Amino acid sequence: MTNADREQRPSSCDYDAELRRHDDVLRRAGDLRFHDRILDIGCGSGHTTRQAARTARAGSALGVDISASAIDRARELADRLPNVTFEQADAQVHRFPHEYFDVAISRFGTMFFGDPAAAFANIGRALRPDGRLVMLVWQAGERNEWDVAIRRALGEPRAAAAPPPAGPDPFSLADPMAVLDLLDGAGFADISFTDVREPVYYGPDPDTALDWVRGFTCTANALGRLGPADAAHAIARLRTELAAHRDEDGVRFDSRAWIVSARRARAGNHGARTPLRS
């Protein structure tokens, strides 16, 4: 992951390269300060945690992820940053320091909780009163060109009224009204949603993109339901779809996300539920 911490065009693809345009969105929305103590939920290999630590030079940044291999990699990459730490932890149940953090951030790391109500309540307890939550989550699958195109190529179009898929669902926090209720119940106030439209990057060429996309859970599940011949045809269609989305910067797809911002309410004061913003 040689380009994870550089502002340049990636020559291959990994999760940080895919979401490089979203990093700026999260950084602006987070509005981190010099002395902030920051919690990064679902930090992966720690790219966003390291960015936060560089901003909060007199504060600190803790990145947590359920994946042990991701945390091992995050620690390797952060050995020169004195104010960043990483822990393998499940944010639903981990005993964070009580009322310690100023800001909790997440770049698409909060959609996979088995018990989201418990998770957000636990995160809220880790924030000081009036501490902020700022997270990126995907909007509905049908609003994301990457999901529509991949499912179309694999012969699995997503219907807007279809039930959520079995297993991890990247769109579990797509419905603003459901998220409002969830965060309100977890003790958050001043909850707002800002529309984010930035492309995702899948690599410099269709072959790299195909290798990356075949690692997606939705792709693997769809191919696993097909016989060998049908799977081969589906992969060929998928490569054609990826090639059609190649431009001078590589293979890119439109995407839609929400920046969800909220504040931990003081006792007895849940504040306002803010309308959507474009």
Side-chain angles (χ1 to χ4, degrees):
M1 193 168 58
T2 58
N3 294 326
D5 292 322
R6 301 178 189 172
E7 294 298 327
Q8 63 185 51
R9 181 186 305 171
S11 60
S12 59
C13 196
D14 58 27
Y15 194 58
D16 295 324
E18 176 186 344
L19 300 173
R20 72 188 194 272
R21 294 287 291 270
H22 292 82
D23 288 342
D24 289 337
V25 174
L26 182 62
R27 186 164 51 247
R28 290 193 300 268
D31 190 26
L32 303 178
R33 306 302 173 91
F34 188 66
H35 290 91
D36 277 345
R37 291 176 293 195
I38 301 150
L39 173 62
D40 188 2
I41 305 295
C43 67
S45 58
H47 178 64
T48 49
T49 322
R50 296 191 297 276
Q51 286 182 324
R54 293 186 182 107
T55 299
R57 293 191 301 276
S60 63
L62 168 64
V64 298
D65 199 282
I66 202 165
S67 167
S69 60
I71 291 299
D72 287 344
R73 182 59 175 154
R75 287 170 176 160
E76 290 175 7
L77 293 169
D79 60 351
R80 295 185 181 180
L81 282 172
N83 64 332
V84 66
T85 56
F86 294 96
E87 292 185 30
Q88 182 190 4
D90 182 350
Q92 297 177 114
V93 296
H94 185 70
R95 293 186 177 181
F96 296 111
H98 185 61
E99 296 187 352
Y100 178 80
F101 297 99
D102 300 292
V103 188
I105 63 171
S106 182
R107 185 191 64 179
F108 302 111
T110 56
M111 298 95 65
F112 306 110
F113 295 130
D115 187 346
F120 285 111
N122 195 40
I123 293 166
R125 286 189 292 270
L127 289 169
R128 63 169 176 77
D130 292 328
R132 294 181 297 119
L133 169 68
V134 182
M135 61 182 181
L136 270 166
V137 301
W138 293 119
Q139 293 186 30
E142 62 269 18
R143 304 199 73 195
N144 277 281
E145 183 185 41
W146 58 271
D147 186 65
V148 172
I150 291 170
R151 291 182 181 277
R152 180 172 60 232
L154 297 175
E156 289 202 346
R158 173 184 287 270
D169 181 7
F171 308 107
S172 67
L173 299 178
D175 180 0
M177 293 307 298
V179 175
L180 277 169
D181 289 340
L182 177 65
L183 293 181
D184 183 73
F188 287 92
D190 299 335
I191 304 160
S192 66
F193 296 77
T194 303
D195 183 40
V196 176
R197 185 170 187 171
E198 293 287 354
V200 291
Y201 171 84
Y202 288 162
D205 55 68
D207 289 331
T208 303
L210 180 62
D211 184 60
W212 178 244
V213 169
R214 287 188 67 174
F216 292 2
T217 299
C218 64
T219 309
N221 288 346
L223 292 174
R225 287 189 284 269
L226 302 175
D230 288 338
H233 288 306
I235 291 169
R237 291 195 302 271
L238 182 55
R239 191 188 186 284
T240 299
E241 188 78 57
L242 295 168
H245 283 82
R246 184 182 187 180
D247 60 21
E248 65 275 10
D249 290 323
V251 179
R252 303 193 302 168
F253 284 82
D254 184 32
S255 77
R256 300 295 288 270
W258 297 118
I259 277 280
V260 184
S261 298
R263 175 180 57 80
R264 185 196 170 188
R266 294 180 179 272
N269 178 19
H270 273 214
R273 291 152 63 103
T274 307
L276 307 185
R277 295 181 295 178
S278 59

